[in-house]
């Protein structure tokens, strides 16, 4: 293999991925994605197929069809290729409340079969330092906050310096301070490996990920960057105040080019409404506001697959590469 083709084949290459569960339930309906080093966000509502995709990439479940290559090697044919290079932070962890943080991590390292040159305890202490848990390592995990538990989980996931790190819904239930602490750690971890972050929280992706994909009903609806996603709907997002009857009229779908993205009851019967107006003028009283990634996500969610604007569906490869490099 030449140097340049080796370079080209670096990363994860997912082609035509299909997963049909007994039922049958089509959880993935032909997903294509190319993912390089750094943080990649996978956004979608519950039941979209995110965990299925993560589990196939982690080689924990076999796809019905399709291929997944890691740095050019087929992980479906040979799951060991992934299993020896993977760090995984699942949604739920089997925590033993009576163990100290350090003992819990030593146990997880034993289960993972990872050891350090100076032994498992020393490796556990090094990892605890990386996730800022040194001062809490002798406390029982039963008393840890949600954020501390997630950091302990992350310590086990990065043990052995994995090529691929998968984190599934990592910030659910964390308070804002813990969430931001966790963001910093994940960003550090993404410096020289592939990090796949699966979440339904748009802020996670907006904060962390230079690239993202949106999945719904097992179908990939967008493969883009936060900036391109916002640019695709720039000038089309409007905010205004309407009463309940006005909101009902807007939400009734009478207009095919105007969609309600969000509505908040502010007082009495007045609603603050955020609209996507694909074409034409906004309703009276509505003013243009800067588009956010959340707007772009909601537009993708509220629009039939074949009507999603092409620029939202897929970032142009050149622009995306330039943006990620910057
Ligand atoms: P997400 O992680 O986005 O919430 P999942 O990948 O868990 O989505 O699920 C995608 C779809 O596949 C859902 O309809 C879910 O009910 C279904 N599903 C997931 N796991 C199984 C399974 N083991 N057997 C049957 N259906 C499943």
């Amino acid at each position: 293999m030449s140097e340049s083709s080796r370079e080209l084949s670096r990363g994860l290459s997912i082609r035509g991925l299909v997963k049909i569960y007994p039922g049958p339930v089509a959880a993935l309906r032909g997903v294509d994605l190319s993912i390089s080093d750094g943080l990649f966000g996978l956004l979608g509502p519950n039941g979209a197929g995110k965990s299925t995709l993560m589990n196939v990439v982690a080689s924990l479940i076999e796809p019905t069809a399709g291929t997944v290559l890691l740095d050019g090697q087929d992980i479906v044919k040979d799951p060991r290729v992934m299993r020896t290079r993977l760090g995984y932070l699942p949604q739920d962890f089997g925590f033993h409340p009576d163990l100290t943080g350090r003992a819990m991590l030593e146990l997880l390292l034993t289960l993972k079969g990872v050891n350090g040159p100076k032994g498992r305890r020393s490796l556990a202490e090094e990892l605890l330092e990386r996730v800022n848990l040194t001062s809490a390592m002798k406390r029982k995990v039963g008393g840890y906050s949600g954020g501390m538990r997630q950091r302990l989980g992350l310590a086990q996931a990065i043990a052995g310096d994995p090529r691929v790190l998968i984190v599934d819904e990592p910030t659910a239930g964390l308070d804002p301070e813990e969430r931001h602490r966790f963001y910093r750690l994940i960003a550090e971890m993404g410096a020289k490996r592939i990090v796949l972050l699966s979440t339904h929280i748009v802020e996670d992706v907006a904060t962390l990920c230079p690239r993202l994909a949106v999945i719904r009903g097992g179908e990939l609806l967008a493969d883009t960057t936060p900036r391109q996603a916002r640019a695709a709907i720039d000038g089309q997002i409007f905010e205004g105040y309407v009463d309940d009857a006005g909101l009902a009229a807007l939400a009734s779908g009478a207009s095919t080019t105007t969609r309600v993205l969000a509505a908040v009851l502010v007082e009495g019967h007045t609603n603050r409404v955020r609209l996507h107006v694909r074409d034409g003028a906004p309703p009276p009283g509505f003013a243009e506001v800067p588009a956010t990634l959340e707007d772009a996500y909601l537009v993708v969610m509220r629009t039939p697959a074949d009507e999603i604007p092409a620029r939202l569906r897929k970032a142009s490869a050149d622009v995306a590469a330039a943006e990620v490099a910057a």
Side-chain angles (χ1 to χ4, degrees), residues 21-22 25 27 45-52:
Y21 290 113
V25 179
N46 288 329
K50 301 183 299 297
S51 299
T52 301

Side-chain angles (χ1 to χ4, degrees), residues 169-192:
E169 306 270 347
T171 64
L174 300 193
D175 67 36
E177 199 181 336
E178 281 175 337
R179 178 173 293 185
H180 284 103
R181 192 190 280 240
F182 198 77
Y183 284 162
R184 271 199 301 281
L185 282 172
I186 293 274
E188 271 172 41
M189 309 302 169
K192 55 176 178 34

Side-chain angles (χ1 to χ4, degrees), residues 166-209:
I166 294 184
V167 281
D168 201 356
E169 306 270 347
T171 64
L174 300 193
D175 67 36
E177 199 181 336
E178 281 175 337
R179 178 173 293 185
H180 284 103
R181 192 190 280 240
F182 198 77
Y183 284 162
R184 271 199 301 281
L185 282 172
I186 293 274
E188 271 172 41
M189 309 302 169
K192 55 176 178 34
R193 56 169 65 90
I194 297 166
V195 181
L196 274 178
L197 170 75
S198 158
T199 183
H200 61 265
I201 301 173
V202 181
E203 187 200 339
D204 289 355
V205 172
T207 311
L208 283 172
C209 301

Side-chain angles (χ1 to χ4, degrees), residues 260-320:
V260 174
L261 297 182
V264 186
L265 191 62
V266 281
E267 61 168 357
H269 294 283
T270 306
N271 304 276
R272 188 174 67 237
V273 177
R274 213 165 161 95
L275 290 180
H276 175 229
V277 181
R278 193 150 48 95
D279 246 335
F286 276 75
E288 190 186 321
V289 288
T292 64
L293 185 62
E294 176 121 14
D295 293 325
Y297 174 67
L298 291 173
V299 169
V300 170
M301 282 301 127
R302 307 271 155 88
T303 309
D306 54 355
E307 287 176 28
I308 295 170
R311 287 178 63 210
L312 200 47
R313 244 178 190 280
K314 189 138 187 75
S316 98
D318 296 350
V319 178

Side-chain angles (χ1 to χ4, degrees), residues 6-323:
R6 202 192 313 276
E7 209 39 56
L8 275 179
S9 63
R10 259 182 84 76
L12 267 174
S13 168
I14 298 168
R15 292 290 168 267
L17 208 59
V18 173
K19 178 67 189 181
I20 317 269
Y21 290 113
V25 179
L28 299 173
R29 298 162 184 265
V31 170
D32 296 302
L33 266 180
S34 298
I35 299 173
S36 44
D37 286 17
L39 281 102
F40 190 95
L42 185 65
L43 265 174
N46 288 329
K50 301 183 299 297
S51 299
T52 301
L53 181 56
M54 296 285 167
N55 282 325
V56 171
V57 169
S59 74
L60 295 173
I61 59 174
E62 240 185 276
T64 308
T67 58
V68 183
L69 305 183
L70 172 62
D71 297 336
Q73 285 181 280
D74 189 331
I75 68 141
V76 177
K77 278 202 192 119
D78 186 0
R80 281 170 313 171
V81 167
M82 182 56 87
R83 288 181 193 155
T84 54
R85 291 171 177 78
L86 176 72
Y88 194 16
L89 176 58
Q91 266 179 55
D92 291 311
F93 242 94
F95 277 103
H96 298 271
D98 288 332
L99 289 182
T100 65
R102 184 176 63 190
M104 179 75 218
L105 184 55
E106 280 182 65
L107 173 66
L108 292 169
L109 296 179
T110 307
L111 293 173
K112 201 174 169 181
V114 182
N115 211 338
K118 288 185 246 146
R120 218 162 251 143
R121 169 154 297 187
S122 161
L123 174 62
E125 290 180 357
E126 250 173 63
L127 291 165
L128 287 164
E129 195 175 328
R130 285 192 65 190
V131 298
N132 305 319
L133 278 177
T134 302
S135 60
M137 72 179 181
K138 292 182 184 160
R139 279 164 49 193
K140 289 185 175 173
V141 293
Y144 276 21
S145 68
M148 292 164 83
R149 285 175 186 224
Q150 281 301 69
R151 283 186 275 137
L152 190 62
L154 192 59
Q156 86 44 58
I158 58 169
D161 197 17
R163 172 84 182 98
V164 180
L165 178 63
I166 294 184
V167 281
D168 201 356
E169 306 270 347
T171 64
L174 300 193
D175 67 36
E177 199 181 336
E178 281 175 337
R179 178 173 293 185
H180 284 103
R181 192 190 280 240
F182 198 77
Y183 284 162
R184 271 199 301 281
L185 282 172
I186 293 274
E188 271 172 41
M189 309 302 169
K192 55 176 178 34
R193 56 169 65 90
I194 297 166
V195 181
L196 274 178
L197 170 75
S198 158
T199 183
H200 61 265
I201 301 173
V202 181
E203 187 200 339
D204 289 355
V205 172
T207 311
L208 283 172
C209 301
R211 289 208 64 121
L212 70 127
V214 179
I215 183 173
R216 180 183 71 196
E219 208 184 333
L220 198 73
L221 297 180
D223 175 7
T224 185
T225 72
R227 196 185 306 169
Q228 288 243 304
R230 289 193 306 266
I233 51 165
D234 201 31
Q236 302 178 356
I237 305 297
F238 296 85
E239 245 188 37
Y241 293 83
V242 293
D243 61 13
D244 292 346
L247 174 59
L250 285 168
S252 69
S255 161
T256 53
T257 59
T258 299
R259 276 205 177 80
V260 174
L261 297 182
V264 186
L265 191 62
V266 281
E267 61 168 357
H269 294 283
T270 306
N271 304 276
R272 188 174 67 237
V273 177
R274 213 165 161 95
L275 290 180
H276 175 229
V277 181
R278 193 150 48 95
D279 246 335
F286 276 75
E288 190 186 321
V289 288
T292 64
L293 185 62
E294 176 121 14
D295 293 325
Y297 174 67
L298 291 173
V299 169
V300 170
M301 282 301 127
R302 307 271 155 88
T303 309
D306 54 355
E307 287 176 28
I308 295 170
R311 287 178 63 210
L312 200 47
R313 244 178 190 280
K314 189 138 187 75
S316 98
D318 296 350
V319 178
E323 229 176 85

